[in-house]
Amino acid sequence: MASRITAAAHDDRPTFQEAAVDIVNAPSTALSSTTARWFLILGAMFVLGVVGFVLKIVDAGMDDRASWGYYVAMVSFLLSTAAGAPMLSIAPVLAKANWIRPVMRISQLFSAIGVLTAIMSIPLIFLLPPLVEDEVRRRSIWFGSPAYFPHMWDTIAIFGLVFIGLALLWSSSLPDLAAIRENGGGRRQKWARRLAPGFIGTWGQWKALKMRMGVLSAFYFLFLVFTHVLFASDYIHALVPGYKDAIFPMYHALTSLQAGVASVILATYFFWKYGGFDRYIGINQMWNLAKLQFALSLLWFYFFFSAWIVFWYSRTPQNEKVIELFDHGPYMWAFLGTLFFSFIIPMWTLMWNFIRVSMRGPTILAVVIIFGTLLDRVRLTVGPWSIEDINEKFLTEIPETVWPDLWDIFMFIGMFGGAAFLFLLVTRLVPAVSLWEIQQSRLISKPAMYMRGEVEIVGKPD
Amino acid sequence: MRQGRQLDEIRINKELLNGALETPAWWKWAVLILFTIVISGFVVFGIQTNKGLGVTGLSRPVFWGAYITTFVFWVGISHAGIMISAILRLTQAEWRRPVTRAAELLTVFSLLTALSFPVIHAGRPWRIIYWIFPYDFARGLWPNVRSPLVWDPAAIGTYLTGSTLFLYVALLPDLGVLRDRTTGWKHAMYGALSLGWRGNPRQWRLQTVAGVLLSALMLPIFVSVHSIVSWDFAVTPGVEGWNSTIFAPYFVIGAVHSGVSAVVTMMALMRWLWKWDNFIRPEHFDALARLLIVVAVAWFGFTIVEILFSLYTLEGPELAFRDMQIFQWPWAGLFVVFLLTGFFIPVTMWLFKGVRNSIALMFWTSILVNIGMWLERFLIVVPALARKQPFVYTWGSYQPSIVEFAMMAWSFAFVSMNMLLFARFFPLIPLFESKEAMIFTTEMKIGRTTIPAVLREQE
Amino acid sequence: MAKTSILGLYEDPEDGAKAMDALHAVGMDPNDFDVLTGTPYPEGAFGEHVPQHRLFRFPVFGAMVGFTLAILFTAGTQLAWPIVTGGKPILAIPAMLIITYELTMLSAVIMTVIGILFESRLPNFAPGAYDTRITEGYVGVVVSVDEGRESEFEEILNTAGAMETKRA
């Protein structure tokens, strides 16, 4: 069958030169008065969070486990949103998806928030009780290991994840930093010279870049799973006497993917609307992200139900206590919120094509899902952290509801402010849309006419 | 690198219809042998029904044995269809094209086979039919909706019906081709089945939409089926090694592992038997092997987590069960074989490009995987029951009898025979998918290099 | 007025596209002519009228029907002969949810398939002019014309390069 592809159809995509100018000099990278104002607001929020943290220590000390449940929930939330987001630059690439290219850098930028996650995880080392207390060892995945193994390994996992995420961000930004080094100005150019001193785009450098990104991506995925398994097991699972739930670490990891995608959708909308990237980010990206979001929301329910049905069916007193602690007991409000915001609302809205194929629809749902994830982390952590005797064999008493106090609210505000601050800060230097991915996308795809119909030819290099 | 050749429609029709319009010489002998095994299986079933379940190895406390293992095994194999057909269709993977119909067909026949096993296992099958048909049986009891054994037929029945309908809808264009290429009673048969298919843009558009929509509907069913089968075990608190929350995704990922491996086996056979070298190429095996590596590693991860959390509580009965399952003969031997055949040997081999592109090696490694996956289910079902109560007055462990082996052989023969019978009347490789590939795949020149490319319709 | 179906058969798809262009040019109603192919081409490749469909209503309707029937069945049967098993309530929502989910999906799939056939206008055992060579790579352009105008349209189809025309 002879090819019926005739010469190029009308191509209104930005040219190589236009893309270089747009992305290197994007308005979002300039420090306008609006941006400066936002930095001040977010900085102030973060400072408020630090104040809340200090006053929490003064007020409750580090020994009252129940007071720190919400703090642990914050770290869990950051691990679930910011740490899950970079997976979007990894998984679709394996499927050779072209649509992800404009969004890849946005997802990698979330690695910068890892710095906050790492800093916030340090107090957890002091908050988590050792495995052995009063010569009683509580059950954990560490079995007979030394008492401070969880503290050590969880910290290594979190810091390792953050490091790999930053390395991935730096690797992927190298060509763009080289472009800024040559064509930028001011402080950006100085930083670009430091971070991308020798990259000039030789064949060997591109090959090394791709290999490095492949290896870092694989490591990031492994570390993400590793971190979630450890965090969920040590900071939640092991604190509930008699709780045995093999799927719980996977649930924690999966929901982090759901929240990560939601975070990327939110950031994508922000850059499309206000970042000047509307020629690069569009309906195609949002539509595909929304499909992924829909699938992950369904998977939320699947992982939740897979555990829940086993506990419900057995009707043993221990399993009924676990269901009460997490679902219909003191944190029923959080559970219902999670059920609605992480599953019911996304499922009933994202199933409609007209919502998926829009810029605002998936964005609103992303906010809903992020809120649902926050409630989920609250229900999963605050309850276990308020259990009196964590070294019992079985859970006998369900603790009362612990409500956030003023310092917790300050810390929540500080967490959001600090995360947004770091995200905005890194975009001052690194373009939010990857110039080289856009240019490669332009190279391997082009509009064409097939007889009377418009098509797109998409190259599939090995 | 693209290995495909540009062929015209006449050539595609001729090559892919060589099984449906002509009878290959080997076909009759193969069907005869398989039919003999199938009939023998029915005879053995008759003997079992007459003599009772004592002819099997089942006895206190192991009341679930090779039959239930094989039931779960065939449900697992059935997951090939939707994995290949639906997921790869939704991700627009071009390399799915030659495989989709055979995978969907494998799903249908393996589900039918799977459904037979609870009936075979029951011993007195007329007593359990009421689980399946929801009518007020003579005893005045309705099926117990709270039992996972009632969830099973609902799920498997839904999956079977959906897969069959999906298969038929996707077959419509090819039925049109067969109608146009035949005369006499065959022309009338294909004409009736094709429902008057003409190939106008409306019908082609609906085919595309149907593929996507049915894939999207079948995917949640696909996940739910093996999860529900896993809950037969997982919701049971009284059996060590069974009461685990991870069983649902663990079984599903294991099903994908065994199902996709079965598809690899089937593709190799299709290429060799019908000489479809132009359509089933080493690049397809390479792509499937890469997918299998990811799936196998995920499955292995779930295996580790499942064992880790079963030991988590450090309770005596659970530790004793795992000790028996992993370190005591004969289970230890089976455990080692399961790990080697299910994961270590195949995955290690698949890491090498030479192996991934060798059809013979892919064929043998895929068979190894399914040996391992049958053993995995056996090791979940039987040792746990053997230790169900610490004090059992029956000493000695379970061993499948010749009757059970005969029924297992029957199941493999039944599936294979039905696939061959289907292939005699309908093409195993979708003609329209192959023709569509010729149109929608092209090449693109970038500088001095040429890369494979695909056409995407503008949305 | 009675209509006649005329088919023009083309070896080269480009000629089929030219025939479609010519039919557009003479002002034919897009619903009165169509292109038949043995393989799916990219949408709009022949300049054809892109068909609209309402397939998505079928699975929604099917799901609603399936859900309702499933709830009635699971609740009705358990209430008809209430026996407590495993300490669970007679109307055990999680268990009912599983069967309800399966029957909802089954009904959605069945209605989807019915919808596919309906929207494809199948079964249609009187399809008009057709040629079996279409499934061998030839392109057919079929046009439905008023009686008496057959020659005029056969001329249009032949001018575009038809190797054969036939009427039904």
Side-chain angles (χ1 to χ4, degrees):
Chain A
M1 295 174 185
S3 175
R4 306 279 159 210
I5 302 167
T6 53
H10 173 65
D11 189 351
D12 57 4
R13 297 175 302 171
T15 60
F16 283 123
Q17 290 72 25
E18 284 171 345
V21 168
D22 276 347
I23 292 172
V24 170
N25 296 331
S28 69
T29 57
L31 196 63
S32 62
S33 59
T34 315
T35 320
R37 208 176 310 137
W38 272 109
F39 268 119
L40 275 170
I41 294 170
L42 295 170
M45 284 166 69
F46 178 67
V47 167
L48 188 65
V50 172
V51 165
F53 176 75
V54 169
L55 290 175
K56 185 83 167 181
I57 295 177
V58 167
D59 196 6
M62 301 279 276
D63 292 327
D64 180 14
R65 220 169 32 244
S67 306
W68 291 93
Y70 282 92
Y71 182 80
V72 182
M74 286 174 226
V75 178
S76 174
F77 176 75
L78 282 177
L79 274 178
S80 303
T81 46
M87 277 304 297
L88 259 184
S89 70
I90 299 168
V93 172
L94 288 174
K96 294 192 185 171
N98 221 32
W99 62 266
I100 194 68
R101 290 177 189 272
V103 178
M104 275 178 73
R105 178 66 53 69
I106 295 175
S107 72
Q108 289 158 352
L109 285 171
F110 280 89
S111 308
I113 301 176
V115 172
L116 180 64
T117 316
I119 292 170
M120 284 184 72
S121 72
I122 295 170
L124 295 183
I125 303 171
F126 304 98
L127 290 169
L128 181 70
L131 286 176
V132 180
E133 278 184 308
D134 300 325
E135 293 179 8
V136 177
R137 176 181 281 272
R138 68 169 180 278
R139 285 178 187 150
S140 75
I141 58 170
W142 302 102
F143 299 104
S145 300
Y148 287 94
F149 249 36
H151 307 71
M152 182 179 85
W153 284 106
D154 287 36
T155 308
I156 289 172
I158 293 174
F159 274 76
L161 183 70
V162 169
F163 176 73
I164 296 172
L166 289 171
L168 185 62
L169 173 63
W170 172 72
S171 289
S172 101
S173 313
L174 264 177
D176 294 358
L177 290 171
I180 294 169
R181 181 192 70 210
E182 300 303 323
N183 303 296
R187 250 179 288 190
R188 289 179 77 218
Q189 193 179 33
K190 273 194 201 127
W191 275 102
R193 276 200 195 113
R194 281 185 202 138
L195 291 170
F199 191 88
I200 53 170
T202 65
W203 185 250
Q205 283 178 331
W206 279 114
K207 216 171 157 184
L209 179 84
K210 294 225 157 138
M211 252 173 49
R212 197 162 51 233
M213 283 184 64
V215 168
L216 284 170
S217 298
F219 269 104
Y220 190 86
F221 169 66
L222 290 172
F223 254 83
L224 184 72
V225 172
F226 180 56
T227 306
H228 278 280
V229 167
L230 290 192
F231 187 91
S233 304
D234 294 330
Y235 285 96
I236 303 171
H237 192 277
L239 297 179
V240 182
Y243 181 35
K244 187 183 101 163
D245 185 356
I247 208 178
F248 183 70
M250 300 296 173
Y251 166 85
H252 204 269
L254 184 275
T255 48
S256 90
L257 294 180
Q258 185 195 20
V261 170
S263 307
V264 172
I265 289 176
L266 196 56
T268 300
Y269 180 82
F270 169 77
F271 286 114
W272 169 78
K273 185 94 176 157
Y274 304 106
F277 292 116
D278 47 302
R279 291 183 79 189
Y280 306 93
I281 302 167
I283 278 285
N284 193 29
Q285 281 66 44
M286 202 54 100
W287 183 31
N288 282 288
L289 284 169
K291 283 193 264 191
L292 207 51
Q293 187 70 278
F294 180 56
L296 287 167
S297 300
L298 294 181
L299 276 176
W300 178 91
F301 184 75
Y302 173 66
F303 274 73
F304 164 75
F305 193 78
S306 296
W308 197 88
I309 190 72
V310 171
F311 289 132
W312 174 82
Y313 198 93
S314 67
R315 306 191 78 73
T316 59
Q318 176 51 30
N319 285 342
E320 289 191 333
K321 280 270 185 281
V322 163
I323 296 180
E324 191 184 343
L325 175 70
F326 286 124
D327 302 335
H328 65 84
Y331 298 96
M332 187 160 144
W333 53 275
F335 168 66
L336 288 175
T338 307
L339 185 66
F340 272 92
F341 296 129
S342 290
F343 172 61
I344 293 177
I345 296 173
M347 187 187 80
W348 282 103
T349 47
L350 287 172
M351 69 163 58
W352 305 106
N353 213 36
F354 74 93
I355 290 185
R356 290 199 304 272
V357 186
S358 69
M359 293 305 286
R360 257 187 246 156
T363 309
I364 295 170
L365 266 311
V367 174
V368 167
I369 286 167
I370 289 171
F371 184 60
T373 306
L374 184 61
L375 289 174
D376 190 40
R377 293 312 182 240
V378 163
R379 87 173 171 105
L380 289 176
T381 52
V382 180
W385 277 73
S386 52
I387 291 173
E388 271 283 337
D389 187 357
I390 59 173
N391 295 318
E392 281 185 304
K393 199 159 191 268
F394 297 109
L395 183 64
T396 48
E397 242 184 78
I398 303 292
E400 297 288 318
T401 313
V402 173
W403 297 102
D405 59 21
L406 185 64
W407 315 135
D408 291 324
I409 294 170
F410 280 4
M411 285 194 283
F412 268 113
I413 294 170
M415 176 194 70
F416 282 113
F421 185 97
L422 281 170
F423 191 83
L424 205 56
L425 184 67
V426 77
T427 61
R428 299 304 93 194
L429 173 62
V430 178
V433 172
S434 173
L435 171 62
W436 68 271
E437 291 276 9
I438 293 291
Q439 290 176 334
Q440 187 172 35
S441 169
R442 206 180 190 292
L443 261 184
I444 64 168
S445 67
K446 56 185 180 189
M449 294 297 294
Y450 190 98
M451 294 199 304
R452 308 292 181 274
E454 284 183 22
V455 295
E456 190 189 11
I457 307 174
V458 179
K460 298 276 181 188
D462 284 336
Chain B
M1 189 186 74
R2 232 187 72 195
Q3 299 166 350
R5 294 174 54 199
Q6 283 288 337
L7 302 171
D8 60 48
E9 287 197 39
I10 296 174
R11 176 98 181 259
I12 291 173
N13 287 350
K14 186 174 185 311
E15 290 194 22
L16 292 182
L17 292 178
N18 64 354
L21 297 181
E22 304 147 18
T23 313
W26 56 266
W27 186 89
K28 286 182 194 142
W29 293 109
V31 170
L32 190 62
I33 293 167
L34 292 169
F35 184 69
T36 309
I37 300 172
V38 168
I39 290 294
S40 308
F42 280 116
V43 168
V44 167
F45 176 61
I47 293 170
Q48 179 193 279
T49 309
N50 179 255
K51 301 275 182 220
L53 282 176
V55 300
T56 67
L58 296 170
S59 185
R60 245 181 233 104
V62 182
F63 284 125
W64 285 6
Y67 288 156
I68 295 300
T69 303
T70 311
F71 159 69
V72 179
F73 174 79
W74 282 113
V75 174
I77 296 285
S78 75
H79 278 46
I82 294 304
M83 179 70 208
I84 300 290
S85 183
I87 294 181
L88 296 184
R89 197 185 294 264
L90 290 174
T91 53
Q92 297 180 306
E94 281 295 314
W95 56 270
R96 77 177 189 280
R97 292 183 187 280
V99 206
T100 52
R101 182 165 301 148
E104 286 156 19
L105 196 63
L106 183 62
T107 293
V108 170
F109 291 132
S110 43
L111 281 174
L112 278 171
T113 311
L115 271 178
S116 322
F117 272 91
V119 177
I120 296 167
H121 164 81
R124 284 182 272 184
W126 55 92
R127 300 294 293 273
I128 72 159
I129 294 293
Y130 86 96
W131 279 348
I132 302 167
F133 295 109
Y135 57 85
D136 196 358
F137 197 61
R139 291 182 288 168
L141 288 172
W142 291 96
N144 177 14
V145 157
R146 293 172 290 284
S147 168
L149 300 179
V150 172
W151 306 342
D152 274 352
I156 296 175
T158 301
Y159 192 33
L160 176 60
T161 310
S163 299
T164 309
L165 290 172
F166 195 176
L167 180 68
Y168 176 65
V169 165
L171 197 51
L172 282 171
D174 292 356
L175 290 169
V177 177
L178 284 162
R179 172 199 63 204
D180 294 346
R181 303 273 81 73
T182 50
T183 54
W185 68 268
K186 281 191 179 176
H187 174 79
M189 177 182 81
Y190 291 127
L193 287 172
S194 67
L195 304 178
W197 173 272
R198 295 176 82 204
N200 59 35
R202 186 181 190 91
Q203 288 172 352
W204 283 122
R205 174 127 197 251
L206 263 303
Q207 272 290 312
T208 309
V209 173
V212 169
L213 186 52
L214 283 173
S215 298
L217 285 172
M218 292 301 294
L219 266 174
I221 300 173
F222 144 87
V223 172
S224 72
V225 167
H226 219 36
S227 303
I228 287 169
V229 169
S230 80
W231 291 333
D232 288 341
F233 309 98
V235 299
T236 313
V239 182
E240 275 73 49
W242 281 13
N243 192 219
S244 175
T245 52
I246 206 170
F247 263 36
Y250 179 42
F251 270 50
V252 170
I253 196 84
V256 172
H257 187 31
S258 67
V260 176
S261 298
V263 167
V264 170
T265 310
M266 198 176 51
M267 277 169 63
L269 288 170
M270 280 162 62
R271 180 181 152 113
W272 290 332
L273 294 173
W274 281 281
K275 315 244 182 295
W276 285 332
D277 300 34
N278 286 326
F279 302 94
I280 299 176
R281 302 182 291 271
E283 62 181 321
H284 297 117
F285 291 91
D286 184 63
L288 278 166
R290 288 173 200 234
L291 173 65
L292 276 168
I293 292 171
V294 173
V295 169
V297 168
W299 168 81
F300 189 68
F302 274 93
T303 308
I304 303 284
V305 172
E306 192 249 334
I307 295 175
L308 182 75
F309 274 85
S310 80
L311 300 171
Y312 182 85
T313 50
L314 295 175
E315 279 167 12
E318 186 76 41
L319 290 175
F321 158 65
R322 289 292 170 183
D323 178 66
M324 186 182 105
Q325 187 194 48
I326 298 171
F327 298 112
Q328 289 180 29
W329 187 262
W331 313 111
L334 291 176
F335 193 82
V336 169
V337 171
F338 139 66
L339 279 180
L340 286 174
T341 55
F343 183 74
F344 287 107
I345 295 175
V347 173
T348 312
M349 288 178 71
W350 292 333
L351 292 172
F352 297 96
K353 191 169 179 166
V355 172
R356 293 199 301 270
N357 283 285
S358 159
I359 294 168
L361 286 175
M362 285 302 298
F363 173 76
W364 290 112
T365 50
S366 64
I367 291 195
L368 276 184
V369 167
N370 278 310
I371 293 172
M373 293 311 291
W374 191 93
L375 283 172
E376 182 222 18
R377 278 75 175 238
F378 189 75
L379 285 165
I380 288 174
V381 173
V382 176
L385 289 172
R387 260 209 62 87
K388 191 175 169 194
Q389 291 100 24
F391 299 105
V392 293
Y393 54 86
T394 315
W395 298 96
S397 55
Y398 164 79
Q399 202 174 332
S401 72
I402 187 81
V403 165
E404 288 161 292
F405 281 116
M407 295 315 299
M408 280 154 56
W410 166 87
S411 69
F412 283 92
F414 185 69
V415 172
S416 308
M417 184 187 77
N418 281 314
M419 301 271 303
L420 286 179
L421 286 172
F422 182 93
R424 179 62 191 84
F425 294 99
F426 308 101
L428 275 182
I429 292 183
L431 272 69
F432 81 91
E433 292 254 27
S434 304
K435 294 172 188 175
E436 192 180 25
M438 298 299 159
I439 290 179
F440 280 79
T441 52
T442 182
E443 285 173 343
M444 183 187 237
K445 212 165 160 52
I446 302 177
R448 293 255 154 86
T449 192
T450 308
I451 59 171
V454 293
L455 298 187
R456 292 261 180 269
E457 289 161 338
Q458 294 285 34
E459 281 150 11
Chain C
M1 188 180 277
K3 292 219 176 212
T4 310
S5 183
I6 303 175
L7 175 81
L9 199 64
Y10 299 87
E11 198 172 357
D12 188 345
E14 179 60 36
D15 293 340
K18 284 181 191 155
M20 296 286 285
D21 291 340
L23 291 168
H24 278 296
V26 298
M28 278 294 284
D29 183 346
N31 292 318
D32 283 339
F33 64 98
D34 217 346
V35 60
L36 305 179
T37 53
T39 183
Y41 280 81
E43 212 166 274
F46 292 93
E48 74 275 15
H49 165 63
V50 177
Q52 296 305 309
H53 64 85
R54 287 169 297 184
L55 181 62
F56 296 99
R57 297 182 188 191
F58 286 84
V60 173
F61 174 71
M64 288 187 328
V65 167
F67 179 81
T68 310
L69 286 175
I71 292 286
L72 288 173
F73 163 64
T74 49
T77 55
Q78 301 312 293
L79 287 172
W81 195 269
I83 298 178
V84 173
T85 55
K88 299 174 193 48
I90 298 297
L91 293 182
I93 305 289
M96 287 169 64
L97 193 67
I98 292 171
I99 296 190
T100 303
Y101 163 77
E102 293 297 339
L103 294 184
T104 304
M105 296 303 288
L106 175 66
S107 186
V109 167
I110 291 172
M111 280 308 297
T112 301
V113 171
I114 291 172
I116 290 163
L117 296 179
F118 175 78
E119 291 287 345
S120 300
R121 310 292 184 248
L122 296 174
N124 178 10
F125 293 111
Y130 184 74
D131 193 292
T132 59
R133 284 171 286 183
I134 286 170
T135 48
E136 287 209 320
Y138 293 83
V139 173
V141 175
V142 64
V143 55
S144 189
V145 304
D146 294 328
E147 259 179 22
R149 297 187 69 190
E150 292 89 342
S151 309
E152 180 192 339
F153 283 93
E154 276 171 355
E155 180 61 35
I156 293 172
L157 294 175
N158 283 321
T159 306
M163 44 181 272
E164 191 182 318
T165 56
K166 45 164 89 166
R167 302 183 191 184

